[in-house]
Amino acid sequence: MREQMLRGEESEVRKKIAEKAKDGTLNGDKPKKRGRWDQTAETEPAKKKGTSTTPGRSWEEDSSTTPAHTRWDETPGHVGQTPGATPGQSTRMWDATPGHVTPGHDKVATSARRNRWDETPKTERETPGHSGWSETPRMDRVAPEDTPSASKRRSRWDETPLVAQTPQTPSMTPSMTPTATPVGTKAMGLATPTPGHLVTMTPEQLQAFRWEREIDERNRPLADDELDSMFPPGYKVLPPPAGYIPIRTPARKLTATPTPVAAQGTPAGFFMQKEEIGPSKYMENQPKDLPFLKPEDAQYFDKLLQDVDEDSLPLEEQKEIKIMRLLLKIKNGTPPMRKSALRQITDKAREFGAGPLFNQILPLLMSPTLEDQERHLLVKVIDRVLYKLDDLVRPYVHKILVVIEPLLIDEDYYARVEGREIISNLAKAAGLATMISTMRPDIDNIDEYVRNTTARAFAVVASALGIPSLLPFLKAVCRSKKSWQARHTGIKIVQQIAILMGCAILPHLRSLVEIIEHGLVDEQQKVRTITALAIAALAEAATPYGIESFDSVLKPLWKGIRTHRGKGLAAFLKAIGYLIPLMDAEYANYYTREVMLILIREFQSPDEEMKKIVLKVVKQCCATDGVEAAYIKEEILPHYFKHFWNHRMALDRRNYRQLVDTTVEMANKVGAAEMIGRVVDDLKDENEQYRKMVVETIEKIISNLGAADVDSRLEELLIDGVLYAFQEQTSEDAVMLNGFGTIVNQLGKRVKPYLPQICGTILWRLNNKSAKVRQQAADLISRIAVVMKTCLEEKLMGHLGVVLYEYLGEEYPEVLGSILAALKAIVNVIGMTKMTPPIKDLLPRLTPILKNRHEKVQENCIDLVGRIADRGPEYVSAREWMRICFELLELLKAHKKAIRRATVNTFGYIAKAIGPHDVLATLLNNLKVQERQNRVCTTVAIAIVAETCSPFTVLPALMNEYRVPELNVQNGVLKSLSFLFEYIGEMGKDYIYAVTPLLEDALMDRDLVHRQTACAAIKHVALGVYGFGCEDALIHLLNYVWPNIFETSPHLVQAFMDAVEGMRVSLGPIKILQYTLQGLFHPARKVRDVYWKIYNSLYIGGQDALVAGYSRIANDPKNQYQRYELDYVL
């Protein structure tokens, strides 16, 4: 068709040309009607400021030099090219594309013979003045102001790839050839970067660009001058041989030293590399006393780079620069700088005004190079500013929404949360009326993207201001006669409200359903679909309540599933799927049978989305009470397995997940054996992904329902299949491991006959050359060790233990960690006495492994050592245990808390085994280290040793250590005492008098931390000795604690309050009240505040006990103060 049209047009044009040739009017020199390419710079109607007027562009040339062109003339790229510049170069299709030549740079002769391939094709979609395919691909795409049709929709076909020219002189470096300066993101590695370019790059591209630039800088060859300065005199440069032509092939180019392309203003030749001062990713011209400015920030903060006297500027500009400075501090500054700038911008928000603030914050938020952290900070700024501005923000609501709404559909979860937060605060600040009037035009926007984001924004507004306030508006929108888009958006708002607010919609459920129910019978297909999806969302949010609210929609839904097909049917099925679980059992049974006919028909649908929905609905129907097992077994299962259990379902991750869940749900109804029997043969399927799906399904069914109804034949098939699947896997992941472990554990004693075969497989795989396979085999041992013990296979376990012991030289830390975990599992179940290899051989082999820095190895190794220290310390000499103690000190530096916890517990076990003195000496010595985490863990270990071996073995050495005049050591001792008294509880009554002088000294120390830690220790002492008659010591200590009442350090204040609370428990509230009364009515507010704080905590803790302690006041005519009941008792 198209070919015929083109031929027809060609013949017509040829006729016209022939006629004109006869008339003599076919002459290019006569002035013709000017085309838009021919406008001179002067006659361009609305030329933007700053557009280049260089007479090099073909569309800016004078009309006298460029003839006008009709639709079928040559491509404008060849216009005005002087004949003879490049002789013999024709402009046919197969010749070199002249696209790389800058217009007006080199002129190319046009060919005399016309060819229809020379003509630019035109398409129907173009509009006059906005040509689509008919424009020449142009190099200078990046500057919209130079393009006559800048407003047209850009296509990626518009960009001509830059073709490298052949060098004119053979010896010239190809990079120096006079080509057009490449521009745009693709050429970013070549063009001189300007802030305009950098804006179009993502942070990753920018990083790569900086990196490349640095590499190029470092790899520049040396210039002659530089070589001269390096060599001694007497060397000379040899000229190249006559006729020498360097070979330039693409392969050699790749291995050549990268030569930086000469950009404008860069001197030709090479120069000595200079070390850059300051990081290369920042600009050279930096603002004073402000954080570093990145190149991509320059366009937003350019005014800070100008050196002007701020006082001479008008007030508006001063404000602008102040805001700019604060925003730069928040975006790029250090945490303290950021904090103070955030506080300033918040406090002065009303003074700055909404306009200046948002005019700067919003463009920043739109920046394509914004990182997540920076976006989070700007969102924080908007939040605080909105709170301060309150109703002043109203004129800027639309601007803010335009920037923030796209965040609601961002793929990053945190971006979505931040978008919701801003819109929520905006709604609270601006009020409902403003939000509705601002977003109303977007509800029936032509663009679906706009409608989608608007619906989500309205849902956030509803959650912020309450659903009832939005209901009248929603009702009007959903019944809009004017456009179906408005109805569609209104119903989508209801759906988004349900998704966002969950069960909070329950009070308004009936009214929401009434608002959207008419959409089920709307004439527009899209409206019907979204209504069904909205009802599904409402039902999901309301589960398991609210079926009575949906009465009105059941009938149209029912009718809908019989009349719809495709997407519409999928939505209606989804709605019914969510409604059935809300129904009573008998209704659910009836509706399930009805809908199942349609579901079974749709089992064979090829559409992926439909499959997911059908599986979901089947799962919901089967989970409902009224549906009997027999019905599922007879009616659903045969079709279900025929259509769904195939390889295609296993390959799609989402379908895979849904299929497994649905099958497990059915198994809960029909029993484990029924479902496992249907899939067990597939364990030997040739497709690995499918086998994985089968194993995962069986694992979930068996862990839910147990293996009681699995008969002996099925059990054989199951073990045989799972062994095959385990051995045949090519990619080792957790699915097979978990499946095998669960099946073996659930079968329990019934696995005994198969254990030799299973262990044979494990041993074989432990010897595999792949690390992953070895790791998986070791992990399996730790899963099935308990079952092996149940089956009394101790000999087999002993053999496994010896093999694992031999593999302790494993080089991969992940595998070594698994081997240690397997050994630990065996030691746990077999006991110390029967363990092979014997513990005395095993432990010395573990000591060097404690040095391994890998977390998994550390954790499993320390667990195993701790278990041995706890259960069988006598098998190992005291010297070996001491060696282990020294190794354990290093483990206190571990990042993982579980490792540190296991380590301090192990100190306790070792101290119990070999006596506390040597262990304590090691630990006390460790208090001298600098690292805080290490010291804290040491203090905990000391306390655990004291608890394990009785405090009297530890306290003398600990208190003696307090004499060392070093802060860290003394604080460590006090912290140890704190933990010690916390752990020993009421045993503290025997030691309180011994430690009182030490605590006295600490509470009189000038160092805050001493007093703080001593207060913490006193809290635990006081709580421990409650009721044991140690009040004299406690009152003595309280007299030393009380002077810290006016301290301002938050940690010390907290420790003081804790100590006072402890004293309240053991001394009684009245004693503390007597100390408090003296300051409650002090003239200075700061004094009163602290005393009232203590009184309040007393009142909360012992309100009834305080009654007896209040001072006696005589009754007056109005009030009665005397406590007669108290007098009776006294």
Side-chain angles (χ1 to χ4, degrees):
M1 263 311 268
R2 196 164 169 203
E3 201 69 25
Q4 284 172 347
M5 284 170 65
L6 283 168
R7 278 188 197 138
E9 281 186 280
E10 185 190 355
S11 60
E12 276 177 43
V13 171
R14 284 187 185 284
K15 277 179 196 169
K16 283 179 187 171
I17 291 170
E19 283 167 20
K20 287 187 177 183
K22 281 178 190 172
D23 302 346
T25 54
L26 190 66
N27 189 350
D29 295 339
K30 285 189 180 177
K32 296 185 182 177
K33 179 170 166 271
R34 296 250 302 275
R36 67 188 177 85
W37 296 97
D38 312 320
Q39 288 175 349
T40 52
E42 291 78 26
T43 57
E44 267 189 69
K47 186 143 180 64
K48 288 194 181 175
K49 202 169 74 177
T51 307
S52 161
T53 54
T54 321
R57 306 276 167 102
S58 59
W59 59 82
E60 289 171 357
E61 284 177 7
D62 197 279
S63 57
S64 60
T65 59
T66 313
H69 302 289
T70 59
R71 181 178 164 199
W72 292 103
D73 289 349
E74 282 95 1
T75 318
H78 315 303
V79 169
Q81 288 166 342
T82 355
T86 317
Q89 186 167 346
S90 82
T91 50
R92 291 220 188 149
M93 174 191 175
W94 302 112
D95 294 341
T97 316
H100 61 271
V101 181
T102 315
H105 182 78
D106 282 331
K107 311 292 182 185
V108 181
T110 53
S111 126
R113 182 167 166 265
R114 299 294 304 272
N115 185 334
R116 72 188 174 86
W117 297 105
D118 301 339
E119 291 150 7
T120 314
K122 276 204 156 197
T123 59
E124 275 74 42
R125 73 180 188 140
E126 54 176 83
T127 50
H130 291 278
S131 51
W133 302 99
S134 57
E135 251 184 52
T136 316
R138 293 198 307 278
M139 290 302 306
D140 47 347
R141 272 281 164 217
V142 87
E145 61 268 20
D146 292 350
T147 313
S149 59
S151 62
K152 91 166 177 58
R153 193 166 144 254
R154 293 229 326 249
S155 159
R156 66 195 175 97
W157 304 106
D158 297 345
E159 290 183 40
T160 311
L162 189 70
V163 181
Q165 289 176 328
T166 322
Q168 277 100 348
T169 44
S171 60
M172 247 181 113
T173 319
S175 58
M176 305 308 172
T177 325
T179 58
T181 308
V183 289
T185 312
K186 295 176 184 62
M188 195 47 91
L190 307 171
T192 314
T194 63
H197 287 160
L198 298 174
V199 171
T200 60
M201 298 173 80
T202 60
E204 291 78 17
Q205 283 175 320
L206 262 174
Q207 196 55 44
F209 165 60
R210 287 174 187 144
W211 177 241
E212 276 172 35
R213 193 173 63 178
E214 195 175 320
I215 293 290
D216 286 350
E217 196 76 26
R218 291 173 188 273
N219 287 336
R220 275 179 180 246
L222 298 171
D224 288 350
D225 297 343
E226 290 156 2
L227 288 167
D228 288 344
S229 66
M230 289 163 71
F231 290 131
Y235 285 89
K236 64 178 182 179
V237 180
L238 284 175
Y244 164 71
I245 299 171
I247 306 169
R248 303 204 189 281
T249 56
R252 281 165 200 267
K253 257 185 196 172
L254 288 174
T255 55
T257 314
T259 310
V261 174
Q264 298 145 334
T266 312
F270 299 103
F271 57 85
M272 195 70 178
Q273 168 193 337
K274 291 190 183 77
E275 278 300 321
E276 283 191 31
I277 296 158
S280 61
K281 66 176 179 177
Y282 295 115
M283 294 168 54
E284 292 163 25
N285 180 15
Q286 290 290 347
K288 291 171 191 165
D289 309 324
L290 283 171
F292 274 120
L293 196 61
K294 300 177 195 168
E296 58 267 32
D297 291 341
Q299 60 170 336
Y300 304 111
F301 299 107
D302 51 353
K303 288 196 177 172
L304 296 178
L305 300 174
Q306 298 163 7
D307 204 8
V308 289
D309 178 21
E310 283 184 32
D311 299 333
S312 61
L313 293 173
L315 192 62
E316 288 304 311
E317 281 192 41
Q318 284 184 24
K319 256 189 206 176
E320 192 183 345
I321 287 175
K322 268 184 195 168
I323 295 170
M324 214 176 266
R325 200 171 279 135
L326 291 171
L327 284 175
L328 182 61
K329 284 180 180 176
I330 291 167
K331 187 173 177 288
N332 293 353
T334 57
M337 196 186 279
R338 190 183 300 151
K339 200 173 177 184
S340 72
L342 201 56
R343 186 174 297 129
Q344 280 182 53
I345 209 166
T346 311
D347 294 343
K348 293 184 179 172
R350 288 185 89 86
E351 182 189 318
F352 287 141
L357 278 167
F358 288 119
N359 287 343
Q360 291 196 47
I361 297 171
L362 297 179
L364 266 175
L365 254 180
M366 301 266 296
S367 163
T369 55
L370 199 68
E371 291 165 18
D372 287 350
Q373 163 71 359
E374 294 172 341
R375 188 197 62 225
H376 171 71
L377 292 167
L378 289 173
V379 166
K380 213 171 179 179
V381 173
I382 292 185
D383 265 354
R384 306 255 178 109
V385 164
L386 281 177
Y387 181 73
K388 279 283 183 188
L389 289 173
D390 208 33
D391 54 348
L392 292 181
V393 84
R394 283 178 186 163
Y396 297 90
V397 168
H398 188 257
K399 263 190 179 179
I400 296 170
L401 285 174
V402 167
V403 178
I404 301 302
E405 277 183 359
L407 287 180
L408 296 176
I409 52 172
D410 198 284
E411 57 211 24
D412 177 21
Y413 168 75
Y414 294 101
R416 296 199 298 274
V417 169
E418 284 170 344
R420 287 202 287 266
E421 200 177 319
I422 291 184
I423 291 177
S424 171
N425 289 346
L426 185 61
K428 287 170 187 164
L432 182 66
T434 310
M435 296 303 284
I436 288 178
S437 59
T438 309
M439 291 200 280
R440 173 66 193 85
D442 293 339
I443 281 181
D444 48 7
N445 194 297
I446 305 292
D447 188 355
E448 193 173 349
Y449 173 88
V450 176
R451 297 203 306 273
N452 182 12
T453 51
T454 306
R456 285 162 194 266
F458 262 119
V460 176
V461 172
S463 74
L465 303 178
I467 296 175
S469 57
L470 211 61
L471 281 177
F473 171 71
L474 280 179
K475 197 167 195 173
V477 170
C478 292
R479 295 191 180 280
S480 166
K481 296 275 189 297
K482 196 173 72 174
S483 71
W484 69 266
Q485 283 98 337
R487 296 198 296 277
H488 184 276
T489 312
I491 293 165
K492 196 177 183 83
I493 293 171
V494 173
Q495 180 205 20
Q496 292 300 327
I497 289 174
I499 292 169
L500 186 65
M501 298 185 65
C503 62
I505 59 146
L506 273 168
H508 320 288
L509 186 58
R510 188 180 290 278
S511 38
L512 286 171
V513 174
E514 280 168 7
I515 284 171
I516 63 171
E517 63 186 4
H518 63 85
L520 289 173
V521 291
D522 197 277
E523 70 270 10
Q524 268 290 336
Q525 172 62 44
K526 279 191 170 182
V527 177
R528 295 200 294 273
T529 306
I530 193 70
T531 310
L533 291 173
I535 286 170
L538 287 168
E540 186 181 7
T543 309
Y545 308 106
I547 185 63
E548 57 284 345
S549 303
F550 293 100
D551 284 342
S552 56
V553 294
L554 284 176
K555 198 173 178 185
L557 279 174
W558 226 245
K559 203 173 170 192
I561 60 169
R562 285 173 169 71
T563 54
H564 286 77
R565 283 284 184 278
K567 269 191 176 174
L569 175 60
F572 275 68
L573 283 174
K574 188 175 185 182
I576 285 176
Y578 279 106
L579 284 174
I580 285 177
L582 310 186
M583 299 178 181
D584 295 338
E586 54 187 294
Y587 290 112
N589 185 15
Y590 168 74
Y591 280 108
T592 299
R593 284 171 186 271
E594 292 294 316
V595 80
M596 201 49 79
L597 301 169
I598 288 163
L599 286 173
I600 289 169
R601 184 192 76 205
E602 291 300 323
F603 276 3
Q604 40 205 313
S605 162
D607 179 26
E608 296 297 320
E609 201 56 43
M610 178 62 94
K611 276 183 179 169
K612 274 194 271 291
I613 287 174
V614 165
L615 281 170
K616 180 80 179 159
V617 177
V618 169
K619 178 188 169 190
Q620 287 163 324
C621 291
C622 293
T624 311
D625 287 341
V627 183
E628 295 98 2
Y631 173 72
I632 296 174
K633 209 180 288 187
E634 290 156 20
E635 301 292 329
I636 305 175
L637 286 189
H639 302 284
Y640 177 76
F641 278 98
K642 180 181 165 193
H643 289 113
F644 285 122
W645 275 87
N646 53 43
H647 294 174
R648 246 186 87 193
M649 293 297 281
L651 294 173
D652 179 10
R653 192 71 207 148
R654 280 173 65 195
N655 281 347
Y656 170 118
R657 186 83 281 123
Q658 191 64 60
L659 182 61
V660 171
D661 291 348
T662 306
T663 311
V664 170
E665 198 56 63
M666 286 178 160
N668 290 344
K669 268 281 161 62
V670 300
E674 175 71 31
M675 294 307 262
I676 293 171
R678 286 177 185 265
V679 295
V680 74
D681 292 333
D682 292 338
L683 284 169
K684 293 192 175 180
D685 192 273
E686 74 278 1
N687 183 314
E688 185 180 357
Q689 194 60 32
Y690 186 65
R691 290 200 300 268
K692 270 185 191 163
M693 186 164 79
V694 176
V695 168
E696 192 172 338
T697 307
I698 292 176
E699 179 223 333
K700 288 190 169 176
I701 291 172
I702 281 197
S703 61
N704 278 354
L705 305 171
D709 60 343
V710 174
D711 58 22
S712 55
R713 175 74 189 128
L714 186 54
E715 169 196 309
E716 274 175 40
L717 288 170
L718 192 55
I719 294 287
D720 185 37
V722 83
L723 262 172
Y724 173 85
F726 188 73
Q727 282 166 304
E728 290 299 316
Q729 57 184 325
T730 51
S731 60
E732 285 68 27
D733 59 10
V735 174
M736 289 293 179
L737 180 66
N738 293 340
F740 204 154
T742 307
I743 290 167
V744 169
N745 278 303
Q746 289 292 344
L747 286 170
K749 277 189 178 172
R750 296 160 67 177
V751 182
K752 190 174 171 68
Y754 314 105
L755 277 177
Q757 190 186 353
I758 292 172
C759 289
T761 305
I762 288 173
L763 290 170
W764 172 250
R765 288 174 79 82
L766 270 174
N767 210 7
N768 195 296
K769 67 174 184 290
S770 160
K772 282 267 177 71
V773 174
R774 299 199 297 275
Q775 181 185 339
Q776 203 188 33
D779 285 336
L780 187 58
I781 295 176
S782 49
R783 303 278 172 103
I784 64 171
V786 177
V787 177
M788 291 170 84
K789 174 81 167 92
T790 315
C791 298
L792 307 173
E793 290 283 358
E794 287 179 2
K795 190 179 174 191
L796 202 52
M797 287 171 81
H799 178 50
L800 282 176
V802 172
V803 173
L804 288 169
Y805 173 71
E806 286 166 4
Y807 283 119
L808 281 175
E810 172 63 58
E811 57 180 322
Y812 287 94
E814 290 286 345
V815 186
L816 182 56
S818 294
I819 289 171
L820 288 165
L823 270 171
K824 182 174 72 181
I826 291 175
V827 168
N828 276 349
V829 296
I830 206 171
M832 298 295 155
T833 45
K834 297 179 185 171
M835 179 63 192
T836 54
I839 297 298
K840 65 177 172 37
D841 296 339
L842 177 61
L843 196 72
R845 194 78 182 70
L846 295 175
T847 314
I849 297 176
L850 284 170
K851 287 193 178 77
N852 194 309
R853 282 285 152 267
H854 193 273
E855 285 191 343
K856 185 179 177 185
V857 177
Q858 282 183 335
E859 191 171 357
N860 286 304
C861 191
I862 189 68
D863 277 350
L864 182 50
V865 169
R867 194 54 47 90
I868 294 170
D870 186 23
R871 304 251 186 93
E874 63 277 7
Y875 296 104
V876 185
S877 67
R879 183 169 293 156
E880 185 63 37
W881 282 124
M882 275 315 295
R883 197 172 296 129
I884 287 173
C885 270
F886 287 117
E887 296 294 344
L888 290 180
L889 290 176
E890 282 300 302
L891 288 178
L892 292 176
K893 294 176 187 167
H895 292 297
K896 202 171 178 188
K897 193 175 180 184
I899 298 173
R900 302 199 300 269
R901 188 186 290 133
T903 307
V904 294
N905 288 333
T906 306
F907 274 117
Y909 300 138
I910 295 174
K912 196 174 184 181
I914 63 169
H917 301 99
D918 292 335
V919 178
L920 190 62
T922 312
L923 288 170
L924 287 172
N925 208 29
N926 205 42
L927 284 177
K928 294 186 175 69
V929 298
Q930 273 301 302
E931 207 183 352
R932 182 180 177 275
Q933 178 183 298
N934 207 333
R935 292 201 313 274
V936 171
C937 292
T938 306
T939 60
V940 175
I942 291 170
I944 287 176
V945 169
E947 183 191 12
T948 315
C949 305
S950 298
F952 63 83
T953 56
V954 171
L955 268 175
L958 191 59
M959 289 166 71
N960 187 50
E961 198 68 19
Y962 189 77
R963 292 178 177 181
V964 176
E966 195 182 323
L967 272 184
N968 283 348
V969 175
Q970 292 187 342
N971 284 331
V973 169
L974 288 166
K975 205 153 195 65
S976 297
L977 285 175
S978 173
F979 286 124
L980 189 151
F981 279 105
E982 184 181 353
Y983 294 164
I984 64 172
E986 57 189 44
M987 268 204 298
K989 67 180 188 300
D990 302 321
Y991 306 102
I992 181 171
Y993 293 102
V995 297
T996 299
L998 189 150
L999 292 172
E1000 264 176 45
D1001 181 81
L1003 286 166
M1004 289 191 292
D1005 202 286
R1006 285 182 62 185
D1007 179 39
L1008 279 179
V1009 185
H1010 268 67
R1011 300 201 300 264
Q1012 175 190 321
T1013 324
C1015 282
I1018 286 170
K1019 166 196 170 184
H1020 294 301
V1021 170
L1023 290 172
V1025 303
Y1026 167 58
F1028 289 105
C1030 305
E1031 283 78 8
D1032 50 348
L1034 288 174
I1035 286 181
H1036 182 62
L1037 287 171
L1038 179 59
N1039 289 330
Y1040 284 94
V1041 169
W1042 200 258
N1044 293 291
I1045 191 167
F1046 297 122
E1047 286 295 343
T1048 51
S1049 154
H1051 292 290
L1052 181 48
V1053 168
Q1054 188 55 51
F1056 168 78
M1057 290 301 292
D1058 286 346
V1060 170
E1061 285 287 287
M1063 294 290 192
R1064 175 183 63 74
V1065 171
S1066 46
L1067 291 174
I1070 293 180
K1071 186 57 73 181
I1072 309 296
L1073 179 69
Q1074 287 166 346
Y1075 277 77
T1076 310
L1077 286 171
Q1078 58 190 331
L1080 284 178
F1081 304 103
H1082 194 277
R1085 186 174 56 80
K1086 282 193 173 178
V1087 174
R1088 289 199 307 275
D1089 282 352
V1090 183
Y1091 276 93
W1092 276 104
K1093 184 180 175 187
I1094 294 170
Y1095 174 74
N1096 288 337
S1097 76
L1098 277 181
Y1099 189 81
I1100 291 165
Q1103 181 183 353
D1104 50 344
L1106 285 176
V1107 174
Y1110 293 136
S1111 48
R1112 288 184 176 276
I1113 302 174
N1115 293 346
D1116 63 25
K1118 282 187 182 175
N1119 300 303
Q1120 191 174 341
Y1121 296 113
Q1122 284 188 5
R1123 290 153 292 176
Y1124 297 109
E1125 295 85 350
L1126 181 64
D1127 293 339
Y1128 303 154
V1129 176
L1130 296 175

